[in-house]
Amino acid sequence: MILLSNRFIAGLMVLVLSACASPDGGSQRMNDAASKDKAQTNNVLLAPWKGPYGGLPPFDQVKVGDFKPALEFAMAEKRSELQAIAANAEAPTFENTVARLEDSGRTLKQVMTVYQIWAGTMSNPEFQAIEKELSSPLAAFEDEIIQNEKLFKRLEAVYLSPSLKSLTPEQQRLTWKYYTDWVRAGAKLDAKNKERLSAINQKLADAFTAFRQNLLADESTFILLESDKDLAGLPEALIKSAAADAESHSAKGKWAITNTRSSVDPFLTYSSRADLREKVWRAFVNRGDNGGAHDNNRLITEILQLRAERAKLLGYQTHAHWRLENAMAKTPEAAMALMLEVWKPAVARVREEVQDMLPLARREEGKKAIEPWDYRYYAEKFRKQKYDLSENEVKPYLQLDSLREGMFWVAGELLGFAFAPVEGLPIAHPDVRVWEVKDKASGRSIGLWYFDPFARPGKRSGAWMNAYRTQEKFRGDVTTIVSNNSNFIKGAPGEPVLISLSDARTLFHEFGHALHGLSSEVNYPLLAGTAVPRDYVEFPSQILEEWFLTPEVLSRFALHYQTKQPMPEALVAKIKKAARFNQGYETVSYLSSALVDMKFHLKGAQTIDPDAFEKQTLTELGMPKELVMRHRSPQFAHVFASDGYSAGYYSYLWADTLSASAFEAFTEAKGPYDKAVAERLKKHVLAVGNSVDPGEAFRAFRGKAPTSDALMRKRGFPVSKK
């Protein structure tokens, strides 16, 4: 996942939009203190980043109280920069308009980088108060930029000029990106509709912030296990981590199951206490849906209505049609067609899985049906019965630190990267570590990789990649800085962190995003690295998952945490044999979320009760009662904490059609480490970012357009006859 905290942050961090401003825009109401001389502010967030590697974020000096004045100053500075572009008396050209837009707002990008990190990983009550206060003004400032008519006319003149064809292909692509993004964001609306659009965007920004903070509050809760009886079935490593978590909550001598996926999923897999499985499951699936101050249903209704109104203002049938116009899928209909093609065989596979588990459930607990809180528990037992394989047998070989080194090794084999730890650099939290990335052949420094692996209060759940500084050559080579963020449960002091097979794949997935950012070799930051359509950005991350289970990685890095011996070949063979196990569950839980997301955003301006709509939609789809959506609506941060993945959660499936086909390119050659195929992947996919149309980039790598065939083969579903 690429983190998008809100519309404004999305524009800065993934460079979806660069900015320009009008001297008479709505953001003039920001604090007059923003006009102070920059050198007199003594605000560390405004100072140029100092230190090695072209300067580093001053994480160790950040004060939450600095964010508001820093953002106010940085917006005022950017406004001044853009006034100069708009007022230029010379005829618009690429250099005096587009290039200067691309170079504008560097202080603001710098401040927003740190602000976004605090929003995702260091969110305390003091920061949340500032976040609430600033969400609407930040959205207003972005609209001020897009709605600057004089500046847009200059941009439009460059885009429509016959001289556009004389520019380099990347300059043409950059100009197209600016122009189409601004038009899609309302640059051509009349004054009345621009005013209404800005009001909508400000309301959405406030709603996104409230949704995110409500979810964080519910994820900060935990269920306390009081006695040894409550630990029945749990492996020792989970017991120790739960004890450490309880101690952190001032409950020493007890055990805490935090209300996040990284804590809940292992408990549901191993606990032999059906009553506690149900209790933990209900708390988890009802995050944001408990009534009271942290309930998200009202916000979802509001967000959907505002998005529908915005889409109409912008000339689109629905929010989904607006979002997908420049995606690979192009239309909601195309995305729906792929999802429904996979849905039917996936549901059929769930029926088979349930029938496999029922005899075990009857024998152990006298159950006549598999309840949603039972699925992981009995799936694990059936895997042991069918494949003689269990997570407890595998986990001792999946030590977080060792797998991290395995990812580095894969990056070296495929991309020629070398990772070396760096000490003494500023970090936001003591858990964070930093590595320098170099080209193995030349020794050239490429970038820095920050790793923030553990859950903690104030950190959002899940796993994601961030870009702290995006690659560019526009103003000289810069040191790219990226991060990966996870929520593993930290073990007791001195204890290794052992993770599941699923978590190991996620680790590789997110590292794939980081490698995408580090591999970028473009001139302009707006087009760099992961700044590609949502249904393409998951392609480089999903394909990297495939290297986790290669024999080369397992033999070198899947080492027993006590004996240091590699995973036995017999165990590797069992993992391979069970590779498609539980694929029905995994696919349906994901796809149900993606389908509900899309259907939400195809309903237009209807007033929607989220819980009722979710239930009705799942019934119409034929959702198996034995499981639930991976992300129920009130906790669906991908979709309702920003616009980022809204009407876009299908992207993981769409991108998997690309990654499945791309990995077959390796297997059709000399295998996963084929140098020629890896070089093509780097050259045509990872290095070009959005400087080339993604469809063209994929065809240049693969030699053909993707179909769903490789995807169906990968998941063990029947390939449809065409």
Side-chain angles (χ1 to χ4, degrees), residues 63-80:
K63 299 175 183 176
V64 171
D66 286 343
F67 280 119
K68 182 181 177 182
L71 285 167
E72 290 174 341
F73 182 94
M75 283 189 282
E77 181 185 75
K78 180 160 188 167
R79 182 180 294 113
S80 178

Side-chain angles (χ1 to χ4, degrees), residues 345-360 370 375-376 378-380 382-383 386-387 580-589 624 626-627 715 717:
V347 169
R349 183 62 53 83
V350 166
R351 306 294 186 206
E352 295 172 5
E353 292 169 1
V354 169
Q355 291 305 309
D356 288 337
M357 293 185 289
L358 268 174
L360 292 171
I370 300 294
Y375 208 113
R376 288 185 177 275
Y378 285 108
E380 179 67 9
F382 184 73
R383 178 165 61 177
K386 184 173 182 178
Y387 297 103
R580 293 170 178 165
F581 175 74
N582 223 30
Q583 192 58 238
Y585 174 89
E586 297 296 339
T587 302
V588 168
S589 62
E626 293 85 1
L627 68 164
R715 297 184 180 229
F717 298 155

Side-chain angles (χ1 to χ4, degrees), residues 282-469:
R282 288 193 182 281
F284 183 68
V285 301
N286 286 319
R287 290 167 295 150
D289 196 20
N290 293 300
H294 299 141
D295 191 276
N296 275 331
N297 284 287
R298 178 191 59 79
L299 290 170
I300 293 172
T301 300
E302 180 185 3
I303 288 168
L304 291 171
Q305 288 182 311
L306 289 169
R307 283 172 171 167
E309 183 184 357
R310 180 177 60 186
K312 286 292 186 183
L313 275 177
L314 294 170
Y316 294 87
Q317 181 180 344
T318 68
H319 177 77
H321 289 85
W322 177 60
R323 290 290 296 169
L324 270 70
E325 182 183 42
N326 281 346
M328 289 199 76
K330 302 300 182 187
T331 68
E333 292 76 17
M336 284 292 295
L338 176 64
M339 288 191 284
L340 293 175
E341 179 184 355
V342 178
W343 175 258
K344 186 175 180 179
V347 169
R349 183 62 53 83
V350 166
R351 306 294 186 206
E352 295 172 5
E353 292 169 1
V354 169
Q355 291 305 309
D356 288 337
M357 293 185 289
L358 268 174
L360 292 171
R362 290 194 192 98
R363 186 161 60 247
E364 181 168 323
E365 295 179 314
K367 287 181 172 286
K368 297 181 179 179
I370 300 294
E371 302 292 348
W373 51 87
D374 298 327
Y375 208 113
R376 288 185 177 275
Y377 180 70
Y378 285 108
E380 179 67 9
K381 286 187 171 295
F382 184 73
R383 178 165 61 177
K384 177 64 176 176
Q385 176 180 292
K386 184 173 182 178
Y387 297 103
D388 190 26
L389 178 68
S390 70
E391 283 280 6
N392 284 334
E393 186 180 7
V394 176
K395 257 192 172 183
Y397 295 93
L398 302 182
Q399 186 176 353
L400 178 60
D401 288 348
S402 185
L403 290 177
R404 183 196 64 228
E405 296 303 311
M407 297 191 309
F408 294 165
W409 182 83
V410 169
E413 292 298 299
L414 297 179
L415 305 174
F417 289 169
F419 288 72
V422 186
E423 302 295 336
L425 302 186
I427 51 177
H429 188 275
D431 287 344
V432 180
R433 293 185 61 192
V434 189
W435 282 258
E436 181 180 9
V437 187
K438 291 184 176 182
D439 179 78
K440 285 199 302 185
S442 67
R444 176 177 64 91
S445 183
I446 293 171
L448 295 173
W449 181 71
Y450 287 61
F451 188 37
D452 185 0
F454 301 120
R456 59 175 174 268
K459 186 178 182 182
R460 60 173 292 257
S461 64
W464 66 93
M465 172 265 190
N466 260 3
Y468 295 174
R469 183 163 61 216

Side-chain angles (χ1 to χ4, degrees), residues 467-652:
Y468 295 174
R469 183 163 61 216
T470 305
Q471 180 271 333
E472 65 172 283
K473 299 177 184 176
F474 177 42
R475 291 292 182 250
D477 283 326
V478 301
T479 299
T480 304
I481 307 177
V482 300
S483 74
N484 282 141
N485 307 267
S486 304
N487 273 277
F488 298 113
I489 303 302
K490 190 185 295 185
E495 292 288 332
V497 178
L498 305 177
I499 65 177
S500 68
L501 282 165
S502 176
D503 283 343
R505 290 188 73 94
T506 300
L507 188 69
F508 272 68
H509 175 104
E510 297 303 334
F511 191 60
H513 285 308
L515 294 181
H516 194 182
L518 290 165
S519 300
S520 182
E521 295 180 7
V522 304
N523 290 304
Y524 300 102
L526 184 65
L527 304 176
T530 58
V532 295
R534 189 65 48 219
D535 52 7
Y536 192 73
V537 76
E538 299 298 339
F539 159 34
S541 55
Q542 289 186 161
I543 192 173
L544 198 77
E545 296 177 30
E546 302 297 336
W547 276 268
F548 161 48
L549 290 179
T550 59
E552 293 85 349
V553 168
L554 295 179
S555 63
R556 289 173 173 84
F557 302 101
L559 307 178
H560 195 283
Y561 77 100
Q562 292 175 324
T563 68
K564 308 305 178 186
Q565 293 299 306
M567 185 180 288
E569 290 185 8
L571 181 55
V572 173
K574 287 192 287 187
I575 293 172
K576 292 282 189 181
K577 188 176 181 181
R580 293 170 178 165
F581 175 74
N582 223 30
Q583 192 58 238
Y585 174 89
E586 297 296 339
T587 302
V588 168
S589 62
Y590 155 74
L591 258 187
S592 55
S593 296
L595 285 161
V596 169
D597 164 40
M598 188 64 76
K599 286 177 175 289
F600 264 138
H601 291 103
L602 287 171
K603 284 296 181 182
Q606 297 180 29
T607 300
I608 292 175
D609 177 332
D611 281 347
F613 182 86
E614 179 185 296
K615 183 177 181 180
Q616 178 184 345
T617 301
L618 295 177
T619 299
E620 292 171 354
L621 287 169
M623 176 75 167
K625 62 181 178 60
E626 293 85 1
L627 68 164
V628 294
M629 301 161 63
R630 181 169 179 81
H631 303 287
R632 288 199 55 241
S633 307
Q635 63 243 200
F636 208 168
H638 286 76
V639 172
F640 296 114
S642 76
D643 276 333
Y645 283 77
S646 61
Y649 199 58
Y650 80 91
S651 297
Y652 291 93

